[in-house]
Amino acid sequence: MKLQAEELSWQSAAAYIVRDVSLHVADGELVGLIGPNGSGKSTLLRMIYRVLQPDAGRVVVDSHDVWQATARDNARRMAVLAQEDGSEFSFNAREVVLMGRTPHKAPFTRDSKTDFALVEQALRRVGAVHLAGREFATLSGGEKQRVLIARALVQQAGLLVLDEPTNHLDVRYQFEIMNLLRGLGTSAIAALHELHIAAHYCDRLYLLEAGRLVAHGTPAQVLTAETIASVYRVRANVSLDPRTDKPHIDFLPDEAV
């Protein structure tokens, strides 16, 4: 499934939080949205998944304008993993995953054998079958993310939108979650905080600074020493990892920019 965001802008009071940003995601791509804190990443994603209506621009998923479609139709095309803390869920993991079937059912319709089969299949795919009966609130950060990805899978949407899916996870779970997302083969756009994660896993990157798009392209094209110094205000040595042909970043925090 394809995503096209065209010249999106959103302002709070007199200040623009995002201004004139365009991006696209092709079929099967994992696209990273990066930038310093406060650069507008989450605001941009909220316009894409229809929480903040843009002041200008439009969002199109497979030729459908998301702001002209119904919420149900959008949920059938796009699954969202917002920054989560799990406090809103007093359900077990299986019940949380089952929520992903809601866009495909009429109100008050009972869960079917097909729904339950899809839930079990999704839990198996993300390696979380053993968590099915556990209360969601008791799971670790990495386990919660696996369950939420399973919920997105049973939603059967062709596009995933993820707001910092590795946030607050230790290194092991960061790589586990990104390996899982990379292996799904589903079109996805993810706001990412860790540049080494973005460099290793993403097909292309969009870099925001103060709400504006300042660079886009492959990780090697975007994550240069010059760009990192300019946007993040920290010096770094950037080289290509011979094993992966991806950028390898060594930060030099003691050197002034």
Side-chain angles (χ1 to χ4, degrees):
M1 190 162 285
K2 300 176 182 178
L3 165 69
Q4 186 76 40
E6 302 172 355
E7 299 183 344
L8 292 179
S9 295
W10 190 83
Q11 66 181 90
S12 175
Y16 275 97
I17 308 301
V18 173
R19 188 160 191 171
D20 298 329
V21 173
S22 297
L23 56 80
H24 74 278
V25 178
D27 283 323
E29 270 195 316
L30 174 54
V31 171
L33 186 62
I34 61 174
N37 291 337
S39 60
K41 300 187 297 296
S42 293
T43 298
L44 179 57
L45 289 187
R46 288 178 186 130
M47 285 189 280
I48 289 173
Y49 63 79
R50 223 177 80 147
V51 168
L52 289 177
Q53 185 161 9
D55 293 316
R58 67 177 191 149
V59 180
V60 177
V61 176
D62 268 8
S63 77
H64 299 276
D65 188 319
V66 302
W67 286 97
Q68 300 299 320
T70 66
R72 179 179 292 270
D73 285 342
N74 277 324
R76 289 173 176 169
R77 300 185 186 102
M78 182 192 309
V80 178
L81 275 75
Q83 294 189 39
E84 64 83 30
D85 61 9
S87 60
E88 71 272 35
F89 293 134
S90 58
F91 305 100
N92 66 33
R94 181 181 285 109
E95 292 167 333
V96 171
V97 176
L98 190 58
M99 294 175 186
R101 296 301 300 155
T102 302
H104 299 278
K105 299 188 298 185
F108 309 112
T109 302
R110 294 176 63 88
D111 300 318
S112 67
K113 290 182 178 179
T114 298
D115 294 327
F116 286 114
L118 288 170
V119 167
E120 296 305 313
Q121 182 183 25
L123 285 168
R124 191 175 304 111
R125 192 173 181 186
V126 303
V129 173
H130 64 293
L131 303 174
R134 293 264 307 274
E135 288 190 25
F136 184 83
T138 69
L139 302 180
S140 71
E143 289 169 339
K144 287 178 179 178
Q145 289 297 68
R146 284 181 176 274
V147 170
L148 293 174
I149 292 169
R151 184 183 67 177
L153 290 178
V154 303
Q155 198 171 322
Q156 295 182 311
L159 174 69
L160 295 178
V161 181
L162 309 107
D163 194 353
E164 299 201 11
T166 60
N167 195 28
H168 303 309
L169 301 184
D170 63 31
V171 173
R172 171 193 170 189
Y173 286 119
Q174 288 180 8
F175 286 114
E176 283 190 1
I177 293 301
M178 292 307 297
N179 283 330
L180 173 58
L181 292 174
R182 181 80 262 187
L184 294 177
T186 303
S187 304
I189 181 168
L192 295 167
H193 187 70
E194 302 86 355
L195 296 187
H196 66 286
I197 293 287
H200 184 75
Y201 287 100
C202 294
D203 296 303
R204 291 183 302 106
L205 299 174
Y206 288 88
L207 173 60
L208 294 181
E209 182 182 24
R212 290 186 178 272
L213 182 64
V214 295
H216 63 92
T218 65
Q221 291 170 328
V222 173
L223 294 174
T224 65
E226 294 78 14
T227 299
I228 292 171
S230 173
V231 174
Y232 288 91
R233 308 296 192 266
V234 63
R235 294 199 184 279
N237 288 329
V238 181
S239 59
L240 287 183
D241 188 323
R243 298 167 301 171
T244 63
D245 207 32
K246 299 284 189 177
H248 176 79
I249 306 167
D250 285 319
F251 290 104
L252 308 171
D254 294 331
E255 295 191 16
V257 175

